[in-house]
């Protein structure tokens, strides 16, 4: 019965159900990828660390620590007959300038100096292949392909790091311990540890020291626990298990975040389903009334349609699941830059079942409300078509309707909580999307009303008729606006975020703002570097000393003591603070609390100034005491002021500012800030300074802009891939609504034809109708994406919004154009429909 | 069959000339001949009723006459133009200029007001006075105070009056009405019929009314009776005799 009744409308309904399929496909693809990701991390955990045990510190290992490690690890190794010296490798990582003599160019790179045969496990692929094994013996360098491309380097070229020259022996193609995108930020250069310019590791430079062990056959986890309590606080202990957990968490968060985006498509699709059922039931009123006349109960009538809906939901979900199963093989490609390994994808039944369940569940939840209308169809309406109107209104507040609404809301929220990175994030996200959709709906409603007001008698007939068509019954103008508007909203918001982020950096280049920074300048070099810079006719805008320190205690809380107990410590607690000292605030700083003390008078705790965010993060206020460990010396300080810092400048900004008279003798490096008038001047100055002072690094703004642009391109490729699902859902809903309206449209076109309308007039009418729909959708999306972009800019990026007028205009025109194309394509052939049916009154 | 004898009345007076018109529908293997060699002629100002049982081909005939469909064989000359070789656009233009339609189920555009509905044919013709003309005809059918009402806000009889106004706004030479009173009660039906004939008298419009209603048919000059696609009788009515 249920099946028989849906005959004829089935294909039309299916198109609508497809809008849900897109979301299901996204969900299945992402969850399927997630399942594979989990397995891949399991399988590749060894390669992620590259060893069984890793010890990491940002201070050189003290002799005592080295001895301790040799003792503990050596004993364990000896237990299985291994010599600790033979299963050991080292890697020392630091930022430095690489200088390419042939190209006369210089660039900051991330140097990884290695000894031993690291990595012990996993992949470390180079081109040529044998370079991975030979670069240490050849005293050569392996470089990132990006570096090779940037400077046109090839094997055989020479590069200099510090005072040491290295022949380039190969490029790094893939390493299982690092995702590819790390090289975007700072290209990697692998050199042998032996022979590295020791100057570069001088005190104050940011250096990461690592020791790795290959300890097959040993209970490394037990060993690590033993080490935990006995090594100094700054030493981090990595094991395969711990690494696996960290990666699972990081990648898990990534894929669950993508899952949320999939959920967006599904939510939009569910609205498509709801309105499809609504329209369907409207069209079926006569049938329902007839069924009621022949004695079918309201409940039974509703069951018939509920069964139809669930069957359709199942078909839609199955289509989605099938598509998603295929699509999941694309996901690793999209995320390639973020994955440290290749994933050989396999099929898992779990995600497919979840997808099917979600599809059918969403369909039922969202079909319920419109299906309730079936119960209210009076058998009388089989006789007279106009009986119904009064009855509909009465049911609006019925408990059944309320129950259906609540069920839909609870269902979606539960699903969000289940799919989100954490239940809270999932819930918040779903609510956020719901709010966006609701506001879109509201604005769409307002906009259509406004257009109705604006339709003036002065317009030509096709324009007036086209605009009037927006109000054609069951034209689903609002649904189309919602669906297309939401897709457009996503695109516009992405564009705004992109331009805002990039302009934030570009902004820094305006006027006389500094754009070139020399850092890692040793105190005894300061004079000479300054002179060199001035000789190059560059201004010295600012000089600042940097002293690295760690937080030892806040008030009565001793972090050393807390280390073992608490797992959930703020990053700010373990942060290596790079603080400065000076007597006054800079122009990028504003005092917001307390008083800034410029000079220490030698009595009591040292008065310091904290940046606002770090104060919040650490939960400290003016008057609190903080103890810093300044390279071994405990220093008690008192928070005397809180500063607001404008981070959007390329300047030296600090979390903690000390007064003068305290840190002058502490080991420190200096930063020198300048401004180059052009890229050439900047490049020349960097090359000149770096060649005279090899330990000094330089970075300029164009480099940062380039890196950000690259990063953003990577990121937006991922987001666009996911956003695509929502956009496609919007298009499917548009197509569905348009196809459903075709039947009414035929009626009208035929009537117009009977009255003597030419093909051109009819075409113009539908062009106006869909163009105005598209323009309205674009407008509605703009009206929403601009404020959302503004909110994101203000609160997430803390920068003024930058509207990309050009690309927004292009995108808005594209949205309007696509809508018009789909609409006009749908109207094709209608004019040729036989006009006789209008006479027959069908 | 009506003879095409009175050549002297002149071609310019002839509004509709139907010759050996046949229509066959092909559905699957079977073919169904709905109209069979139908011929008749109508002159300016004529009124004619087409009577016949349901399914006899009345609507089909009307559609063919108005160029809404193409005949299987035969010829339709509408207002001096053979519609056979014309394309859809050209037929539309002829309809717009010379033909009015009234439908059993009114067929108003729900998104337009009464006034706007009546304006449509005038606007399609590109008349600058569309609004005034529509308003005038609406006043004539007694709806001068309902101009800005939407169809749903009008009763069936009122909707059909709007339909009449729309049919007459372009002062067509011929008006086709397919059961114009079929959906209305007796009283309303009477009012609509009176309007129909009044407008016919005033403007000299040729009137073709398809109906089941013998009383309505009797008010026309001539009744064409169809049965299974053929004209079984074509005779002047009593009314034609008492009219000048
Ligand atoms: N597209 C079609 N295909 C096949 N047969 C058709 C088609 N359209 C109409 N017919 C048939 O043509 C015949 C005449 O139809 P038509 O609509 O002209 O009848 P009618 O005289 O107007 O009837 P009524 O008084 O019920 O309106 C009917 O038997 C109908 O079934
Ligand atoms: Mg008929």
């Amino acid at each position: 019965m249920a099946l028989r009744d849906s005959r004829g409308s089935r294909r039309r309904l299916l198109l609508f159900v497809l809008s849900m399929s897109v979301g299901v496909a996204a969900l299945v693809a992402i969850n399927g990828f997630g399942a594979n990701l989990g397995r891949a991390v399991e399988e590749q955990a060894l390669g992620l660390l590259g060893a069984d045990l890793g010890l990491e510190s940002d201070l050189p290992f003290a002799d005592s620590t080295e001895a301790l490690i040799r003792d503990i690890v050596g004993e364990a190794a000896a237990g299985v007959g291994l010599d600790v010296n033979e299963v050991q490798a080292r890697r020392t990582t630091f930022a430095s300038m690489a200088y390419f003599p042939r190209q006369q160019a210089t660039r900051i790179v991330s140097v990884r100096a290695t000894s031993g045969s690291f990595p012990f496990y996993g992949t470390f692929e180079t081109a040529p292949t044998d370079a991975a094994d030979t670069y240490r013996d050849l005293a050569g360098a392996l470089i990132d392909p990006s570096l090779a491309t940037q400077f046109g380097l090839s094997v055989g070229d020479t590069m200099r790091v510090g005072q040491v020259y290295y022949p380039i022996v190969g490029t790094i193609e893939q390493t299982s311990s690092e995702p590819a995108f790390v090289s975007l930020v700072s290209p990697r250069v692998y050199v042998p540890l032996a022979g590295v310019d020791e100057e570069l590791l001088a005190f104050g430079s940011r250096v990461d020291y690592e020791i790795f062990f290959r300890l097959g056959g040993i209970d490394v986890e037990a060993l690590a626990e033993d080490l935990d309590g006995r090594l100094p606080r700054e030493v981090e202990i990595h094991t395969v298990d711990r690494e696996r957990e960290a990666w699972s968490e990081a990648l898990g968060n990534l894929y669950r975040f993508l899952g949320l985006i999939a959920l967006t498509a599904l939510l939009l699709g569910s609205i498509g389903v709801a309105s499809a059922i609504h329209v369907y039931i409207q069209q079926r009123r006569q049938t329902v009334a007839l069924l009621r006349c022949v004695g079918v109960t309201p409940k039974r009538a509703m069951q018939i349609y509920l069964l139809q809906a669930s069957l359709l939901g199942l078909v839609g979900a199955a289509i989605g699941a099938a598509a998603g199963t295929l699509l999941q093989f694309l996901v690793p490609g999209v995320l390639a830059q973020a994955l440290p390994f290749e994933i050989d994808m396999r099929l898992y039944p779990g995600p497919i079942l979840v997808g099917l369940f979600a599809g059918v569940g969403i369909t039922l939840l969202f079909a319920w409300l419109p299906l309730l209308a079936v119960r209210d169809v009076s058998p009388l309406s089989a006789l007279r078509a106009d009986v119904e109107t009064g009855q509909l209104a009465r049911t609006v507040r019925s408990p059944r309707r309320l129950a259906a609404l609540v069920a839909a809301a609870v269902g979606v929220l539960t699903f969000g909580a289940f799919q989100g990175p954490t239940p809270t994030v999932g819930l918040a996200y779903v609510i956020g999307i719901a709010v966006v959709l609701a506001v879109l709906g509201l604005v769409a409603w307002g906009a259509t009303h406004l257009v109705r007001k604006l339709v003036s008698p002065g317009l030509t007939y096709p324009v007036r008729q086209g605009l009037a068509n927006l109000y054609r019954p069951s034209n689903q103008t609002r649904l189309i606006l919602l669906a297309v508007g939401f897709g457009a909203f996503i695109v516009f918001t992405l564009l705004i975020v992109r331009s805002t982020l990039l302009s934030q950096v570009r902004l820094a280049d305006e006027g006389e703002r500094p754009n070139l920074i020399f850092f890692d300048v040793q105190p005894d070099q300061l004079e000479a570097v300054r002179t060199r810079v001035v000789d190059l006719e560059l201004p010295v805008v600012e000089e600042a000393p940097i002293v690295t320190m760690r937080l030892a205690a806040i008030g009565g809380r001793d972090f050393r003591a807390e280390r073992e107990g608490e797992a959930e410590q703020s990053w700010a607690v373990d942060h290596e603070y790079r603080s400065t000292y000076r007597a006054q605030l800079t122009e990028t700083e504003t005092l917001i609390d307390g008083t800034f003390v410029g000079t220490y008078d030698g009595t009591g705790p040292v008065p310091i100034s904290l940046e606002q965010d770090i104060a919040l993060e650490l939960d400290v206020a003016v008057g609190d005491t903080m103890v810093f460990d300044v390279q071994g010396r405990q220093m008690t300080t008192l928070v005397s002021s809180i500063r607001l810092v404008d981070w959007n400048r390329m300047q030296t900004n600090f979390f903690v500012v000390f007064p003068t008279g305290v840190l002058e003798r502490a080991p420190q490096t200096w930063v020198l800030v300048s401004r180059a008038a052009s890229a050439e001047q900047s490049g020349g100055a960097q090359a000149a300074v770096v060649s005279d002072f090899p330990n000094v690094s330089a970075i300029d703004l164009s480099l940062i802009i380039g890196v950000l642009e690259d990063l953003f391109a990577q990121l937006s490729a991922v987001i666009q891939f996911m956003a695509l699902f929502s956009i496609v859902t919007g298009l499917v809903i548009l197509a569905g609504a348009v196809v459903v309206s075709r039947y009414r449209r035929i009626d009208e076109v035929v009537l117009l034809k009977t009255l003597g309308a030419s093909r051109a007039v009819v075409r113009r009418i539908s062009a106006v109708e869909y163009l105005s729909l598209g323009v309205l959708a674009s407008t509605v999306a703009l009206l929403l994406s601009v404020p959302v972009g503004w909110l994101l800019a203000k609160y997430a990026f803390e920068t003024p919004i930058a509207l990309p007028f050009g690309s927004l205009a292009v995108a808005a025109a594209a949205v309007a154009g696509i809508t018009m194309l789909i609409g006009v394509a749908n109207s094709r052939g209608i004019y040729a429909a036989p006009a006789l049916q209008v006479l027959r009154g069908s | 069959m009506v003879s095409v004898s009175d050549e002297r009345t002149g071609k310019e007076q002839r509004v509709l000339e139907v010759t050996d018109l046949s229509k066959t529908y092909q559905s699957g293997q079977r073919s169904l001949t709905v109209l069979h060699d139908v011929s008749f002629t109508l002159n300016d100002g004529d009124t004619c009723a087409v009577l016949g049982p349901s399914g006899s081909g009345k609507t089909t005939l009307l559609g063919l006459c108005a160029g809404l469909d193409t005949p299987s064989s035969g010829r339709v000359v509408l207002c001096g133009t053979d519609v056979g070789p014309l394309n859809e656009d050209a037929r539309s233009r002829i309809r717009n200029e010379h033909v009015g339609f009234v439908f059993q189920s009114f067929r108003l555009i729900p998104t337009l007001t009464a006034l706007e509905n009546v304006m449509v044919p005038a606007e399609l013709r590109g008349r600058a006075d569309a609004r005034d003309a529509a308003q005038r005809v609406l006043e004539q059918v007694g709806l001068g105070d309902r101009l800005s009402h939407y169809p749903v806000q009008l009763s069936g009889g009122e909707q059909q009056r709007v339909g009449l106004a729309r049919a007459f706004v372009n002062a067509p030479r011929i008006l086709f009405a397919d059961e114009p009173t079929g959906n209305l009660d007796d009283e309303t039906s009477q009012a609509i019929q009176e309007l129909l004939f009044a407008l016919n008298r005033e403007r000299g419009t040729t009137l073709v009314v398809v109906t089941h209603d013998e009383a309505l048919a009797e008010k026309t000059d001539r009744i064409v009776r169809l049965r299974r696609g053929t004209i079984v009788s074509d005779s002047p009515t009593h009314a034609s005799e008492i009219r000048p």
Side-chain angles (χ1 to χ4, degrees):
Chain A
M1 172 75 216
L3 267 183
R4 233 179 302 137
D5 180 68
S6 71
R7 191 183 295 148
S9 322
R10 242 178 273 165
R11 215 173 309 148
R12 250 181 297 162
L13 263 183
L14 194 60
L15 195 66
F16 257 114
V17 171
L18 278 183
S19 64
M20 179 267 291
S21 308
V22 181
V24 170
L27 207 63
V28 169
I30 288 302
N31 285 347
F33 168 73
N36 279 287
L37 193 64
R39 194 202 66 240
V41 171
E42 280 300 311
E43 287 173 358
Q44 320 235 6
L46 263 183
L48 288 172
L49 184 57
D52 294 297
L53 176 69
L55 304 176
E56 181 182 2
S57 170
D58 47 27
L59 296 175
F61 289 96
D63 290 345
S64 56
T65 313
E66 290 270 3
L68 198 60
I69 294 169
R70 232 184 346 265
D71 279 358
I72 304 171
V73 180
E75 190 183 322
V80 292
L82 293 173
D83 179 347
V84 71
N85 292 315
E86 281 168 15
V87 296
Q88 201 182 120
R90 283 174 193 252
R91 182 169 67 178
T92 302
T93 306
F94 55 93
S96 177
M97 296 306 278
Y99 179 70
F100 306 100
R102 187 166 69 83
Q103 288 75 11
Q104 292 204 331
T106 180
R107 191 202 197 284
I108 190 159
V109 296
S110 171
V111 180
R112 280 121 214 254
T114 66
S115 74
S117 45
F118 180 81
F120 297 121
Y121 310 113
T123 45
F124 188 78
E125 278 171 27
T126 57
T129 323
D130 60 347
D133 301 319
T134 58
Y135 76 99
R136 276 179 289 252
D137 295 337
L138 296 170
L142 297 172
I143 61 170
D144 249 320
S146 66
L147 207 54
T149 321
Q150 188 185 352
F151 294 110
L153 301 167
S154 54
V155 170
D157 273 331
T158 303
M159 70 186 289
R160 198 186 75 197
V161 177
Q163 300 282 19
V164 183
Y165 287 84
Y166 297 95
I168 294 170
V169 295
T171 55
I172 306 152
E173 298 300 312
Q174 184 165 24
T175 66
S176 58
S177 55
E178 289 172 319
F181 79 81
V182 298
S183 68
L184 281 179
V185 180
S186 181
R188 291 164 295 181
V189 171
Y190 273 79
V191 296
L193 183 56
V196 161
D197 187 347
E198 297 284 336
E199 279 281 302
L200 300 178
L201 309 179
F203 231 101
S205 311
R206 217 188 278 246
V207 185
D208 196 40
Y209 299 89
E210 291 166 290
I211 312 177
F212 297 98
F213 296 97
R214 178 164 53 82
L215 299 169
I218 292 177
D219 182 356
V220 177
E221 296 307 320
L223 179 62
E225 255 164 56
D226 192 15
L227 288 166
D228 266 337
R230 296 167 68 179
L231 293 180
R233 181 162 86 108
E234 66 271 11
V235 178
E236 268 183 64
I237 299 161
H238 302 280
T239 66
V240 175
D241 276 6
R242 292 180 188 186
E243 207 69 358
R244 176 191 298 146
E245 231 162 81
W247 274 102
S248 304
E249 203 179 303
L251 292 177
N253 276 342
L254 176 69
Y255 104 78
R256 272 189 295 267
F257 169 71
L258 296 179
L260 277 188
I261 305 182
L263 197 60
T264 315
L266 199 57
L267 283 182
L268 187 59
S270 62
I271 292 178
V273 168
S275 52
I277 300 288
H278 174 73
V279 170
Y280 181 63
I281 294 303
Q282 294 305 315
Q283 290 170 348
R284 291 274 139 173
R285 288 188 154 265
Q286 287 299 311
T287 317
V288 177
L290 277 174
L291 287 176
R292 298 275 285 108
C293 276
V294 298
V296 172
T297 61
K299 197 173 164 189
R300 180 97 183 82
M302 169 133 174
Q303 278 169 356
I304 289 172
Y305 286 95
L306 202 59
L307 187 58
Q308 282 185 18
S310 37
L311 284 174
L312 271 165
L314 192 61
V315 172
I319 294 173
T325 304
L326 295 177
L327 272 174
Q328 67 176 314
F329 291 93
L330 289 182
V331 182
V334 174
L335 291 179
Q337 294 285 324
L339 297 174
F341 41 69
E342 276 172 25
I343 298 184
D344 75 297
M345 297 287 288
R346 288 182 214 156
L347 287 185
Y348 287 94
I352 297 175
L353 289 177
V354 169
L356 285 176
F357 179 78
V360 176
I362 289 268
T363 307
L364 284 183
L365 281 177
F366 280 81
W368 193 269
L369 193 61
L371 278 180
L372 282 176
V374 171
R375 303 186 73 112
D376 303 324
V377 174
S378 155
L380 211 62
S381 49
L383 306 177
R384 286 190 40 170
D386 50 345
V387 187
E388 305 147 15
T389 0
Q391 291 222 329
L392 256 183
R394 228 184 301 145
T395 61
V396 171
R397 273 188 208 84
S398 79
R400 278 208 188 87
R401 229 180 121 90
L402 206 65
L405 274 171
V406 170
V410 168
V412 168
L413 288 175
T414 311
F415 198 60
F418 170 76
Q419 190 69 31
T422 67
T424 330
V425 172
L427 283 178
Y429 187 83
V430 169
I431 291 172
I433 293 294
V435 168
V436 166
L437 284 172
V439 174
L440 262 178
L442 218 72
V443 177
W445 180 80
T448 45
H449 274 256
L450 201 66
V451 168
R452 186 163 218 169
K453 286 249 159 64
L454 289 180
V455 176
S456 80
L459 300 169
T460 67
Y461 169 69
V463 173
R464 243 181 325 116
Q465 179 69 59
L467 290 177
N469 279 355
L470 295 180
Y471 308 97
R472 185 192 288 115
S474 90
N475 202 31
Q476 294 173 292
T477 299
R478 254 171 268 155
L479 174 71
I480 294 179
L481 284 184
L482 198 63
V484 178
F486 190 72
F489 163 77
I490 290 178
V491 175
F492 296 169
T493 307
L494 279 178
L495 286 175
I496 293 174
V497 166
R498 180 169 182 277
S499 105
T500 299
L501 284 182
L502 289 180
S503 83
Q504 177 183 4
V505 193
R506 292 217 180 85
L507 206 69
D509 205 17
E510 276 176 4
E512 293 302 302
R513 291 186 174 177
N515 59 8
L516 178 59
I517 293 185
F518 296 98
F519 55 98
D520 287 350
V521 179
Q522 300 300 309
D524 56 4
Q525 294 175 314
L526 184 59
E527 224 20 85
V529 171
R530 186 190 301 136
T531 312
R532 190 79 183 85
V533 169
V534 171
D535 283 350
L536 289 161
E537 293 183 352
L538 290 174
V540 175
V541 180
E542 192 192 344
E543 288 174 6
I546 293 177
V547 180
T548 61
M549 55 188 69
R550 282 177 182 281
L551 199 52
I554 294 177
R557 291 165 62 200
D558 184 344
F559 295 119
R560 278 169 181 272
E562 279 179 20
R563 183 185 177 182
E564 277 161 60
E566 258 177 88
E568 293 273 328
Q569 264 183 348
S570 163
W571 61 269
V573 167
D574 266 334
H575 186 68
E576 185 187 44
Y577 287 83
R578 300 165 74 81
S579 310
T580 194
Y581 57 90
R582 53 175 137 83
Q584 65 290 315
L585 292 174
T586 64
E587 60 172 37
T588 60
E589 298 171 321
T590 323
L591 197 67
I592 54 173
D593 196 13
T595 41
F596 183 82
V597 181
T599 315
Y600 181 50
D601 59 9
T603 56
V606 181
I608 58 167
S609 177
L610 286 189
E611 188 267 341
Q612 183 190 25
D613 288 338
I614 200 79
L616 279 176
E617 180 70 38
L618 289 168
D619 193 21
V620 293
V622 170
D624 286 343
T625 54
M626 298 172 80
V627 181
F628 283 97
D629 178 337
V630 184
Q631 291 154 35
R633 237 192 88 203
Q634 302 285 304
M635 184 172 289
T636 304
T637 64
L638 181 80
V639 180
S640 76
S641 68
I642 308 282
R643 286 163 303 131
L644 188 69
V645 174
D646 177 9
W647 293 98
N648 295 334
R649 306 258 196 121
M650 186 152 175
Q651 205 124 358
T652 51
N653 292 316
F654 299 93
F655 282 143
V656 187
V657 175
F658 277 71
T660 55
V662 192
L663 295 173
E664 278 79 355
R665 303 265 180 94
Q668 58 196 266
T669 61
W670 283 73
V671 169
L672 209 135
V673 181
S674 179
R675 173 171 179 86
S678 65
E680 292 73 41
Q681 195 186 15
S682 174
Q686 290 181 51
V689 171
V690 169
S691 101
D692 286 2
F693 309 94
N695 65 298
V696 171
S697 290
I699 194 157
D700 83 350
L701 200 63
S702 62
L703 191 73
I704 296 181
I705 293 178
V707 165
L708 273 175
E709 275 175 347
D710 282 353
L711 269 181
F712 203 88
Q714 291 293 337
L715 193 67
S716 56
V718 174
I719 295 177
Q720 273 161 18
F721 175 75
M722 297 311 302
L724 205 60
F725 286 101
S726 294
I727 294 163
V728 169
T729 301
L731 288 179
V732 171
I733 292 179
L734 168 64
V738 155
V739 168
V740 166
S741 77
R742 185 181 164 101
Y743 295 83
R744 274 186 191 266
R745 191 171 303 274
I746 289 179
D747 228 42
E748 196 174 280
V749 166
V750 160
L751 174 63
L752 286 176
K753 196 165 130 182
T754 311
L755 297 178
S758 68
R759 191 185 293 267
V761 166
V762 169
R763 203 182 296 141
R764 233 172 290 149
I765 291 174
S766 72
V768 168
E769 177 181 346
Y770 285 107
L771 186 64
S772 54
L773 257 180
V775 170
L776 271 180
S778 276
T779 312
V780 165
L782 273 178
L783 283 179
L784 198 58
S785 61
V786 171
V788 165
W790 181 81
L791 285 175
L792 284 174
K794 187 165 168 66
Y795 295 106
F797 313 125
E798 301 185 347
T799 181
I801 186 172
L803 291 177
F805 292 102
S807 40
L808 279 181
V810 170
V815 168
I818 288 172
T819 310
M820 189 176 91
L821 275 183
I822 289 185
V824 171
N826 174 64
S827 310
R828 272 187 49 202
I830 286 184
Y831 191 78
L836 253 176
Q837 70 193 59
V838 74
L839 290 177
R840 294 216 171 82
S842 62
Chain B
M1 311 296 126
V2 160
S3 59
V4 197
S5 56
D6 46 354
E7 294 281 325
R8 259 157 297 163
T9 49
K11 282 235 156 136
E12 68 280 2
Q13 288 211 6
R14 197 154 288 167
V15 182
L16 180 66
E17 195 176 332
V18 172
T19 326
D20 296 335
L21 201 61
S22 293
K23 179 72 186 177
T24 305
Y25 282 113
Q26 205 74 37
S27 61
Q29 304 284 55
R30 278 198 251 145
S31 64
L32 179 69
T33 301
V34 177
L35 279 184
H36 201 77
D37 283 340
V38 172
S39 304
F40 67 95
T41 306
L42 287 173
N43 291 329
D44 268 336
D46 283 356
T47 56
C48 166
V50 181
L51 274 177
S54 184
S56 56
K58 306 183 293 291
T59 301
T60 310
L61 177 60
L62 214 60
L64 289 172
C65 290
L68 291 175
D69 203 357
T70 36
S72 307
S73 66
R75 215 160 79 104
V76 174
V77 178
L78 187 59
C79 301
T81 315
D82 184 355
V83 296
L86 298 183
N87 66 16
E88 290 279 5
D89 271 354
R91 289 181 194 188
S92 287
R93 203 170 323 115
I94 292 197
R95 275 198 297 276
N96 186 244
E97 277 173 31
H98 302 300
V99 182
F101 270 103
V102 178
F103 310 98
Q104 175 176 5
S105 46
F106 323 140
R107 296 272 147 176
L108 301 180
I109 299 177
T111 54
L112 301 182
T113 62
L115 180 67
E116 288 168 339
N117 263 288
V118 177
M119 281 165 68
V120 170
E123 291 192 292
L124 286 174
R125 187 185 259 194
R127 287 171 61 179
D129 65 336
R131 181 166 292 267
D132 292 341
Q135 199 166 339
R136 240 178 293 126
V137 198
L138 272 170
E139 273 158 15
Q140 237 174 321
V141 300
L143 288 176
D145 53 343
R146 313 298 296 269
L147 300 183
S148 56
H149 284 65
Y150 285 91
V152 284
Q153 299 168 307
L154 298 172
S155 74
E158 286 164 344
Q159 288 189 47
Q160 193 60 304
R161 279 194 268 169
V162 176
L164 272 179
R166 179 176 65 187
F168 278 102
V169 72
N170 270 354
R173 278 180 74 187
I174 182 164
L175 180 89
F176 294 106
D178 193 0
E179 302 187 36
T181 57
N183 273 357
L184 301 173
D185 62 65
D186 275 350
E187 214 169 302
T188 320
S189 167
Q190 284 303 323
I192 293 291
Q193 289 177 24
E194 269 160 37
L195 264 175
L196 202 57
F197 287 106
L199 288 165
N200 155 257
R201 272 193 306 276
E202 259 170 49
R203 308 197 172 196
T205 309
T206 305
L207 194 61
V208 183
V209 192
V210 167
T211 182
H212 290 288
D213 183 350
E214 292 277 354
L216 169 58
E218 279 300 329
K219 291 182 186 163
T220 63
D221 303 331
R222 173 174 161 194
I223 296 179
V224 173
R225 285 179 198 275
L226 274 180
R227 181 152 299 163
R228 291 211 208 103
T230 43
I231 296 183
V232 290
S233 82
D234 182 351
S235 50
T237 59
H238 189 59
S240 68
E241 286 156 27
I242 55 176
R243 262 203 243 166

